[in-house]
């Protein structure tokens, strides 16, 4: 593997706070327990704009990593980096890896860890050169090898592991639809699970398309029950060691989604000590 420069992003060093971890019980947030391992807490609001975050989002396929990572990216004004986007951007460019990636994609092969890390390192270096601080990684790393390589490239402050019960994940994945004209992503699943045997209920409204897209919706060819279950099995097998990797370093925050975005987003902000931040930013806008 080509040498990869370690990005220290020294200006970010003051971001983390040595305050004790913040934990919540179900009675406090009216949701399944949100377990916060001993991770370093987000600093007070008045200092946040002068600092940066270096966070990772983990979670099963269909859990909503991209949705919540994108929302936090917009809120905190830091880049949201998804590895799939890095690959697509390189393919669309005349960069040194574009032809190699094109062949890999054509043959249906997996992009190697070395290429992904090289693209990520290039992206982070470009942002640092422009004076942009921090990032939110979406769905990477997925293996111990990737986590170890990433640790040699940059420092990660916090890993947010989104969790959702498997029956809901399956229903969400099977409900995914794409408009074959505009490319919009929607979800027709309407989830309404009643509380029973001490387990909380869950309501997740569908994400329906506008009227002009309804007749143009298609289903992804790999969104079948058998394929989705296999993807979830492989994810658990590969990613459980990654969770332990970051848990042992005191950086893992496990967040059980209590429902859809209206229910989950405020509680995620609360766990991250950002519950007042969105209101104050809105008021200042």
């Amino acid at each position: 593997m080509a040498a990869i420069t370690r990005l220290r992003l020294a200006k970010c060093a003051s971001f983390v706070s040595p305050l004790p971890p913040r934990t919540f019980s179900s009675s406090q947030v009216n949701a399944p327990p949100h377990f916060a391992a001993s991770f370093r807490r987000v600093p007070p609001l008045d200092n946040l704009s002068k600092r940066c975050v270096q966070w990772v989002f983990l979670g099963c396929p269909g859990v909503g990593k991209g949705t919540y990572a994108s929302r936090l990216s917009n809120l905190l004004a830091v880049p949201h980096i998804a590895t799939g986007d890095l690959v697509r951007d390189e393919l669309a460019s005349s960069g040194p890896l574009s032809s190699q990636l094109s062949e890999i994609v054509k043959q249906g092969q997996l992009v190697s860890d070395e290429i992904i890390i090289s693209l990520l390192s290039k992206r982070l270096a470009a942002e640092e050169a422009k004076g942009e601080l921090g990032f939110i990684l979406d769905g990477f790393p997925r293996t111990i090898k990737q986590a170890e390589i990433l640790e040699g490239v940059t420092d990660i402050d916090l890993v947010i592991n989104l969790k959702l019960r498997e029956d809901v994940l399956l229903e969400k994945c099977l409900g995914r639809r794409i408009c074959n004209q505009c490319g919009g992503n929607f979800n027709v699943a309407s989830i309404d699970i009643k509380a029973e045997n001490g387990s909380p209920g869950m309501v997740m409204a569908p994400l329906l398309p506008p009227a002009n897209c309804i007749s143009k919706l298609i289903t992804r060819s790999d969104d079948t029950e058998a394929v989705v279950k296999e993807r979830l099995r492989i994810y658990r097998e590969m990613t459980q060691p990654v969770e332990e990797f970051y848990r042992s370093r005191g950086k893992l925050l496990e967040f059980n989604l209590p429902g859809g975005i209206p229910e989950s987003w405020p509680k995620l902000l609360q766990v991250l000590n950002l519950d007042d931040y969105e209101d104050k930013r809105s008021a200042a806008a």
Side-chain angles (χ1 to χ4, degrees):
M1 183 177 71
I4 296 176
T5 303
R6 178 172 174 80
L7 301 172
R8 297 195 179 278
L9 297 173
K11 294 178 183 178
C12 297
S14 63
F15 174 79
V16 293
S17 168
L19 296 174
R22 187 177 185 182
T23 58
F24 297 85
S25 69
S26 57
S27 61
Q28 288 174 292
V29 294
N30 192 30
H34 304 288
F35 169 69
S38 182
F39 67 96
R40 292 167 291 179
R41 199 168 70 165
V42 177
L45 173 69
D46 55 353
N47 294 325
L48 193 54
S49 60
K50 302 175 184 177
R51 301 178 179 180
C52 63
V53 301
Q54 294 179 199
W55 293 355
V56 166
F57 265 84
L58 298 179
C60 290
V63 77
K65 296 182 297 294
T67 297
Y68 292 101
S70 178
R71 279 179 164 245
L72 280 171
S73 168
N74 291 331
L75 180 67
L76 302 175
V78 296
H80 168 209
I81 303 175
T83 52
D85 292 339
L86 293 178
V87 171
R88 284 186 286 273
D89 290 346
E90 187 69 17
L91 281 169
S93 74
S94 56
L97 292 174
S98 58
S99 58
Q100 184 181 354
L101 278 172
S102 180
E103 287 302 313
I104 291 172
V105 172
K106 284 179 184 177
Q107 296 171 21
Q109 298 176 354
L110 294 175
V111 180
S112 69
D113 294 341
E114 288 78 11
I115 291 178
I116 292 295
I117 287 290
S118 179
L119 293 175
L120 177 59
S121 183
K122 174 184 171 183
R123 170 72 180 271
L124 295 179
E127 288 173 359
E128 187 177 18
K130 292 187 297 184
E132 294 181 0
L133 303 178
F135 54 82
I136 297 177
L137 293 182
D138 172 1
F140 184 88
R142 295 186 178 181
T143 67
I144 283 290
K145 181 181 178 183
Q146 291 175 353
E148 290 173 344
I149 296 174
L150 181 61
E151 196 171 51
V153 174
T154 190
D155 295 314
I156 299 299
D157 297 323
L158 176 65
V159 178
I160 303 166
N161 188 26
L162 298 181
K163 296 195 165 218
L164 190 61
R165 46 192 287 179
E166 186 165 319
D167 56 339
V168 175
L169 272 172
L170 180 60
E171 196 169 342
K172 278 190 66 184
C173 288
L174 295 180
R176 292 194 291 201
R177 299 291 186 273
I178 302 170
C179 176
N180 63 7
Q181 181 171 322
C182 72
N185 290 283
F186 307 100
N187 201 301
V188 299
S190 180
I191 297 167
D192 186 0
I193 299 174
K194 306 302 181 185
E196 60 179 2
N197 300 325
S199 297
M202 181 174 293
V203 175
M204 300 181 80
L207 179 60
L208 299 175
N212 60 307
C213 290
I214 291 177
S215 63
K216 306 176 184 69
L217 295 184
I218 59 174
T219 304
R220 282 173 40 166
S221 59
D222 58 345
D223 274 348
T224 65
E225 185 169 347
V227 171
V228 171
K229 284 183 175 179
E230 180 63 7
R231 284 208 305 261
L232 294 175
R233 184 194 67 79
I234 292 172
Y235 178 84
R236 286 194 302 270
E237 186 177 285
M238 293 178 62
T239 309
Q240 193 168 9
V242 178
E243 294 174 10
E244 186 53 42
F245 179 89
Y246 287 114
R247 184 180 291 111
S248 67
R249 286 159 172 73
K251 297 180 178 181
L252 186 72
L253 166 66
E254 293 184 297
F255 182 79
N256 293 310
L257 292 164
I261 293 173
E263 298 81 19
S264 300
W265 176 241
K267 292 183 173 64
L268 179 60
L269 292 180
Q270 185 183 8
V271 170
L272 293 172
N273 200 29
L274 293 170
D275 33 333
D276 294 330
Y277 187 62
E278 187 173 42
D279 292 338
K280 291 181 181 179
R281 278 202 61 174
S282 298

